[in-house]
Amino acid sequence: MGLFTLAQARDELVRLRPVLDEIVAVRADMVELSAALTPGGEPTSLGGLPERKAAEARLNELMTAVQETGAELKGIAPLLVDFPADLDGVPVLLCWLEGDAALNWYHRADLGFAGRRPLPEGEQFGD
């Protein structure tokens, strides 16, 4: 897939928010169901093994839906989504982390999350 401009990435994030919100909910259900299924685990009203398998299948569908947009799903706990972009000829990833109100961070593609910085004002991300 191609590169995102900052505007395109922000628009895509808005479209993806319902999917991302569902990933967070299904992820929590899976953890609770998995804990209940361990020996001595606390029972849950969410169900048992069939519900755990259904949650896992749904989570896989949701993760695929994110990746089909061209965004990169880098983690699910916490949820981390990167949008490939270009900053003045340098490959970067526009970076959204679960809990962020908006897409306001980036990092160079070669540095990873540890190199995450706030978006600089006035720079052009392929716009």
Side-chain angles (χ1 to χ4, degrees), residues 54-89:
E56 184 176 5
R58 181 63 181 148
L59 187 60
N60 285 333
E61 290 172 359
L62 294 166
M63 292 186 323
T64 297
V66 171
Q67 293 168 331
E68 286 175 345
T69 68
E72 299 175 6
L73 188 58
K74 295 293 182 78
I76 67 161
L79 193 55
L80 177 61
V81 180
D82 285 340
F83 299 86
D86 181 89
L87 173 61
D88 296 331

Side-chain angles (χ1 to χ4, degrees), residues 37-115:
L37 291 168
T38 61
E42 187 72 29
T44 176
S45 62
L46 295 175
L49 185 57
E51 289 78 15
R52 167 64 173 78
K53 288 182 177 185
E56 184 176 5
R58 181 63 181 148
L59 187 60
N60 285 333
E61 290 172 359
L62 294 166
M63 292 186 323
T64 297
V66 171
Q67 293 168 331
E68 286 175 345
T69 68
E72 299 175 6
L73 188 58
K74 295 293 182 78
I76 67 161
L79 193 55
L80 177 61
V81 180
D82 285 340
F83 299 86
D86 181 89
L87 173 61
D88 296 331
V90 177
V92 298
L93 297 167
L94 302 172
C95 182
W96 179 85
L97 177 65
E98 181 179 338
D100 288 349
L103 185 60
N104 293 319
W105 296 82
Y106 82 103
H107 56 83
R108 283 186 2 208
D110 63 328
L111 296 181
F113 187 81

